[in-house]
Amino acid sequence: MSWPRAALLLVSSSSRTGPAEGLISLGRELRARGVDARFAADTVRPGENLGEHLAHAGVPWEAELRLSRKVRILHDARLLAAWGEAGRYEVLHAAFAHDHHLCLWAASRSHRPELRVVRAAQRAVDVTPGALGQRRWALRRSDGVLVHTETYRARLLAQGFDPARVAAVAAGVDAHWFTPGRSPRLRALWGVPEEAPLAGIVARMKPERGHDALIEAFARMRAQLPDTYLVLVGRGEHEPALRKAVARLAPDRIRFAGYLRGPGLVEAYRALDVGVWLREGNDGACRGVLEAMACGVPVVAGNEGAPSELVRNGQDGRVIDPTDPGGIASALGELLGDLTTARRMGASARARAEEFTPGRAAEATLTFWRRLRDLPRIS
């Protein structure tokens, strides 16, 4: 029987988006390859039809685990330790620090030589030492660390991590679902003329995601291209502040589209001439970049993290400094002012996205796990 026989993918979130979506995709692909991959998430806070999403993907949910930072962890710690000692799983693959510490504790109480703990370090902060070096200590206690960019892997190696125990695996995208097209229905709903140049960002509205810089950049750019539009797709705690900024800078040209998923999300990408992704969120894999690219949309991407490695500057879009509204405005103006160039880059982006299949991501992850099996266990 091939190894691993069974793997548990953990994420202490009740959301179906972010890292959870990537883990569900990984679970589906692993199960197609004969691995009994199962999913564990926060069962305390209400989720967004997470169970339905898992059922559709064919990935079982270990609902006995609570994985919530809002309740005592003793229940989860004991359960994971029992499963580890019984050999129920050979790989514990954790997405967040909460899950990771539970897995490390459970593995420390298991005598199973085949058990491996892997941390998927999602964001830039996850590969920093942390206060008093605590984050680095936890990563060193793992059998392996998986990151989504070569840049983050290099940062860990610079801290002395064993190269054999750190792998960079980019996200995957379902290019059969995210496909090029147009979306006159959404444009009409947003009040955007069908032929008007339209840029858009699809991201949670949080201060650190770069919406403020984008709004400022768009307002600057409109001095040269007054007939352009910008749409903000998503929701979040920063929305009231963003609405105030829009009212001050460009109230007639910036639209708030709300939260979209499923077919609506595909339509949103198709409605755009240019996509914008300035900074990573909880999901450092930044799958939204690949989703837009798969829909044939060129991307103006920040030069930090995964976007700068997914988008080839000048081929699939533009890579810019996400803190520089002037640079963002210049990139937007270049593409929105020349839709022929934008569409050429969009076709290149589509071809690029087709390389990043979910199967490719799963195979790379599985290869990494098996490499760890051949190394001495750390936990």
Side-chain angles (χ1 to χ4, degrees):
M1 181 180 295
S2 63
W3 187 96
R5 174 188 51 79
L8 184 61
L9 313 174
L10 305 95
V11 53
S12 52
S13 170
S14 59
S15 172
R16 57 173 284 179
T17 59
E21 192 164 2
L23 287 185
I24 292 170
S25 174
L26 174 61
R28 180 177 59 244
E29 293 293 331
L30 291 173
R31 293 185 71 81
R33 287 159 175 77
V35 179
D36 183 12
R38 294 172 180 260
F39 182 85
D42 188 337
T43 59
V44 175
R45 292 175 294 179
E48 301 165 349
N49 298 319
L50 186 53
E52 179 182 329
H53 192 42
L54 283 163
H56 180 73
V59 180
W61 188 353
E62 284 284 18
E64 290 182 74
L65 288 171
R66 295 170 181 167
L67 287 190
S68 173
R69 286 162 285 188
K70 296 185 178 297
V71 299
R72 293 181 179 179
I73 65 172
L74 187 57
H75 169 272
D76 286 350
R78 287 174 172 170
L79 192 57
L80 272 177
W83 287 351
E85 184 62 18
R88 183 163 177 167
Y89 294 103
E90 285 115 357
V91 174
L92 300 177
H93 186 98
F96 286 149
H98 179 83
D99 327 312
H100 185 211
H101 284 284
L102 280 171
C103 291
L104 290 176
W105 190 89
S108 70
R109 282 149 181 77
S110 170
H111 298 90
R112 293 275 180 173
E114 70 275 13
L115 181 63
R116 298 291 181 273
V117 173
V118 178
R119 171 69 196 273
Q122 304 285 339
R123 305 158 298 170
V125 68
D126 294 331
V127 296
T128 61
L132 303 177
Q134 290 183 350
R135 189 176 296 115
R136 180 171 54 198
W137 176 88
L139 292 180
R140 287 191 181 280
R141 296 299 303 161
S142 307
D143 296 293
V145 181
L146 186 147
V147 294
H148 298 299
T149 76
E150 291 293 344
T151 301
Y152 293 171
R153 182 174 187 269
R155 291 181 187 178
L156 289 177
L157 298 190
Q159 296 178 49
F161 281 76
D162 182 350
R165 294 188 182 271
V166 184
V169 178
V173 63
D174 184 352
H176 298 291
W177 175 253
F178 292 97
T179 56
R182 300 298 294 171
S183 182
R185 183 191 72 84
L186 272 187
R187 282 198 170 221
L189 182 65
W190 297 338
V192 177
E194 176 61 21
E195 300 306 318
L198 174 64
I201 182 171
V202 181
R204 183 166 182 83
M205 294 178 182
K206 301 171 67 174
E208 61 268 28
R209 296 304 298 274
H211 292 81
D212 298 276
L214 174 59
I215 291 169
E216 181 183 343
F218 179 78
R220 290 189 190 185
M221 183 213 64
R222 280 199 60 226
Q224 286 73 46
L225 296 170
D227 295 329
T228 55
Y229 287 79
L230 173 68
V231 62
L232 312 179
V233 180
R235 64 189 178 192
E237 59 272 26
H238 197 45
E239 183 173 345
L242 295 178
R243 287 188 177 274
K244 290 179 181 179
V246 167
R248 185 178 73 254
L249 295 172
D252 59 329
R253 295 289 169 162
I254 300 180
R255 306 290 191 254
F256 286 82
Y259 178 67
L260 296 171
R261 67 184 186 194
L265 179 60
V266 178
E267 270 197 276
Y269 288 127
R270 289 175 176 174
L272 305 179
D273 295 301
V274 177
V276 182
W277 191 284
L278 297 179
R279 293 179 176 276
E280 66 184 13
N282 283 339
D283 177 19
C286 301
R287 287 186 324 281
V289 175
L290 288 175
E291 291 170 356
M293 292 170 66
C295 290
V297 178
V299 177
V300 173
N303 61 4
E304 303 170 348
S308 64
E309 295 186 13
L310 298 173
V311 177
R312 296 169 297 186
N313 189 33
Q315 292 180 257
D316 314 312
R318 285 296 180 192
V319 178
I320 47 80
D321 179 350
T323 67
D324 177 19
I328 300 169
S330 177
L332 286 175
E334 175 189 351
L335 296 179
L336 292 177
D338 182 357
L339 293 184
T340 299
T341 295
R343 288 164 187 151
R344 174 179 54 79
M345 286 188 176
S348 175
R350 166 68 186 182
R352 170 79 164 163
E354 288 178 323
E355 300 174 10
F356 292 86
T357 65
R360 170 182 170 176
E363 286 289 349
T365 300
L366 198 52
T367 296
F368 178 52
W369 287 356
R370 288 172 175 163
R371 187 168 80 206
L372 298 177
R373 172 198 56 187
D374 297 330
L375 298 174
R377 180 181 159 187
I378 290 181
S379 301

